[in-house]
């Protein structure tokens, strides 16, 4: 067993398998505790569920008739459809994400093995698996960038090992993961171009890939996404600082470094690469992602939470391995100098490499208690509270195939077996208040003045069969304001929906 771990393949795949299991435990347990949300696990489950039945990814949680390919461009999601058809559950997406994220360990650990042997491979593999960006993403519902993380790891590693064709082949599918990743493909092409000799076919390959990446992003943002989007545009232009870039470029430049929350992102990213990794050209692969995040006016993009930093982790750690390799710190005694005598690495190179690896290791140790991987050893994370049991019992009253309006976290529990939308929004089909037959229409009260029970459930057309809400859910404030949720709850009750469950903040309304 120990002898097998001294070989790169079993060592790297063993580490990947270990982290895949750890990720799966964290993600599935959070779903069991109802900590996942409709934004975004429910959204992606509705999309994959549609693909699994041969339909377009129309997602009710985003709005009636909303085509998800008009939000972000991620057709690679469809590859999960066969698996979901066999195992139709949100857990399927969470397990797939755990495996995909863990695959990033494989190329980085194998490259580290080539550079410095099994101990460096274990260290780099551990740093990758425990990296804060990946751990946070694994615990933060499901996102399409799960496909990007291993692709970027393999592409960056191939670049570092001097295999440009392999790097290009690993990078090209990124344009099918998310629209901005075409810019990262362009940087891969640029690095291949710069490293190739003049007149070589590799140089032409790099130039072509760089143009392809830029064209893919432009075509997707300007043509493909607007063609699917219900408003006919790209929803995120307003967040990208385009007005500043056109009117006052200096304002956009200032936005890249302010407010100070962005310094935390940049500092932690640099420390993840041991600072030494900033000397590697591979760190340039981070530029597109960091560029749009820092330029945006959405504060969620600036920090070190959510899933946005996952794609940076394999790139930063590949830059670290490359920088350590360049120091020659792990050159063995068989290295022969020009004069014919053998010599190992110089002491300064060894110190630089050790400091960089120590810094990266310290980052992993400091962030472990902060990010969700620590939940594996937290006793409170594995229990089942009485409130959680009551919430499950309430959801069990809703039959499979029903139409439901739900609050954010409860919707994530229902997306696989019902047709669910958010409770704070106008349902689809919309509610139509029609008094019973024989009721005079003249002088009938307006919807805003009805008292509970004025209209019977049979007098309402459209709307969901069930309404379920957890008012204590902290995420009920986003994507919907609590005021909108309460307004719609009041409206449903005025239209004759009856309370099936009224357990404090847990409410279930039904329509006869």
């Amino acid at each position: 067993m120990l002898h097998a771990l001294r070989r790169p393949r079993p060592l790297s795949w063993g580490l990947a398998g270990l982290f895949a299991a750890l990720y799966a435990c964290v993600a599935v347990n959070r779903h069991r505790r109802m900590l996942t949300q409709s934004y975004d696990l429910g959204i992606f489950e509705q999309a994959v569920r549609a693909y699994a039945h041969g339909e377009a990814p129309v997602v009710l949680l985003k709005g009636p008739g909303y085509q998800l390919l008009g939000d972000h461009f991620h057709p690679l999601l469809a590859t999960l459809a066969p698996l979901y058809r066999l195992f139709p559950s949100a857990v399927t997406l969470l397990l797939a994400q755990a495996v995909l994220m863990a695959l990033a360990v494989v190329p980085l650990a194998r490259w580290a093995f080539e550079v410095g042997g099994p101990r460096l491979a274990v260290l780099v593999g551990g740093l990758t698996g425990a990296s804060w960006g990946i751990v946070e993403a694994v615990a933060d519902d499901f996102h399409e960038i799960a496909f990007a993380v291993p692709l970027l790891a393999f592409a960056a590693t191939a670049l570092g090992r001097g295999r440009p064709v392999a790097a290009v082949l690993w990078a090209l599918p990124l344009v099918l993961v998310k629209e901005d990743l075409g810019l990262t493909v362009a940087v891969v092409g640029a690095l291949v171009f710069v490293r190739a000799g003049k007149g070589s076919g590799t140089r032409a390959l790099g130039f072509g890939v760089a143009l392809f990446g830029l064209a893919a992003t432009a075509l997707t943002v300007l043509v493909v996404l607007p063609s699917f989007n219900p408003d006919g545009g790209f929803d995120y232009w307003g967040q990208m600082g385009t007005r500043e870039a056109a009117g006052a470029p200096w304002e956009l430049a200032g936005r890249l470094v302010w407010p100070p929350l962005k310094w935390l992102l940049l500092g932690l990213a640099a420390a993840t690469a041991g600072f030494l990794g900033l000397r590697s050209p591979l760190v340039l692969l981070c530029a597109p992602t960091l560029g749009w995040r820092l330029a945006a006016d959405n504060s969620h993009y600036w920090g070190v939470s959510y899933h946005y930093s996952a794609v940076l982790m394999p790139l930063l750690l590949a830059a670290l391995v490359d920088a350590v390799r360049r120091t020659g710190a792990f050159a063995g005694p068989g290295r022969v100098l020009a004069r014919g005598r053998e010599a190992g690495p110089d002491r300064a190179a060894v110190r630089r490499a050790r400091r960089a690896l120590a810094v990266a290791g310290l980052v992993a140790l400091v962030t472990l208690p902060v990010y969700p991987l620590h939940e594996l050893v937290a006793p409170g994370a594995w229990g089942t509270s009485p409130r959680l049991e009551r919430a499950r019992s309430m959801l069990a009253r809703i039959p499979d195939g029903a139409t439901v309006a739900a609050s954010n976290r409860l919707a994530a529990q229902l997306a696989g077996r019902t047709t669910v939308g958010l409770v704070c929004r106008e349902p689809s089909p919309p509610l139509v208040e029609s008094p019973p037959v024989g009721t005079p229409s003249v002088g009938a009260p307006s919807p805003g003045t009805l008292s509970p029970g004025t209209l019977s459930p049979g007098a309402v057309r459209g709307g969901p069969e069930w309404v379920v809400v957890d008012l204590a859910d902290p995420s009920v404030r986003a994507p919907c304001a609590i005021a909108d949720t309460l307004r719609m709850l009041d409206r449903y009750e005025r239209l004759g929906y009856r309370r099936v469950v009224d357990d404090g903040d847990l409410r279930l309304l039904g329509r006869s």
Side-chain angles (χ1 to χ4, degrees), residues 439-457:
T439 301
S441 59
V442 178
S446 64
T449 62
L450 291 174
S451 59
T454 298
L455 292 180
S456 66

Side-chain angles (χ1 to χ4, degrees), residues 95-106:
L95 293 178
Q97 177 171 255
V99 172
L100 287 167
M101 295 282 197
L103 282 176
V105 171
V106 174

Side-chain angles (χ1 to χ4, degrees), residues 137-383:
V138 165
D140 184 25
D141 291 358
F142 174 91
H143 296 91
E144 71 281 87
I145 52 91
F147 288 95
V149 170
L151 290 172
L152 288 167
F154 279 100
T157 300
L159 274 176
R161 296 172 68 191
R163 300 174 60 197
V165 175
V168 166
L169 292 176
W170 284 112
L172 288 177
L174 290 168
V175 301
L176 303 178
V177 177
K178 197 161 173 277
E179 62 277 359
D180 64 288
L181 289 171
L183 301 178
T184 305
V185 173
V187 177
V188 171
L191 290 175
V192 169
F193 177 84
V194 169
R195 292 184 171 193
K198 291 184 178 180
S200 70
T202 304
R203 194 176 180 88
L205 173 67
F207 184 75
V209 170
L211 288 181
F212 171 78
L214 293 174
T217 290
L219 180 66
T220 304
V221 170
L222 299 176
V223 179
V224 178
L225 287 169
S227 70
F228 287 109
N229 189 281
D231 296 323
F234 178 50
D235 284 342
Y236 301 92
W237 273 130
Q239 299 180 13
M240 292 296 108
T242 50
R243 293 181 180 178
E244 289 85 347
W250 55 88
E251 291 186 16
L252 179 60
R255 177 185 281 190
L256 294 175
V257 295
W258 195 264
L261 178 60
K262 297 176 181 180
W263 305 349
L264 174 62
L265 171 61
L266 294 173
L268 192 55
T272 300
F275 297 109
L276 185 66
L278 301 181
R279 298 184 178 185
S280 167
L282 296 181
V283 80
L284 294 174
L285 294 169
C286 298
T289 297
L290 286 174
W292 71 256
R293 287 179 61 183
L294 296 175
D297 60 10
N298 185 339
S299 60
H300 290 159
Y301 299 155
W302 307 339
V304 292
S305 299
Y306 306 107
H307 62 284
Y308 302 113
S309 295
V311 296
L312 299 176
M313 299 298 105
L315 305 178
L316 293 169
L317 289 159
L320 171 62
V321 175
D322 187 46
V324 168
R325 177 188 64 83
R326 290 167 181 267
T327 65
F330 286 91
R335 182 185 178 194
V336 181
L337 300 181
R339 295 181 180 180
R341 58 187 179 85
E342 295 182 354
D346 63 77
R347 293 181 178 178
V350 172
R351 285 196 298 270
R352 286 196 301 273
R354 285 180 175 175
R355 280 197 300 267
L357 295 170
V359 168
L362 183 62
V363 169
L365 289 175
V366 169
T367 56
L368 265 178
V370 178
Y371 289 91
L373 208 57
H374 76 274
E375 293 178 4
L376 290 167
V377 293
W382 296 95

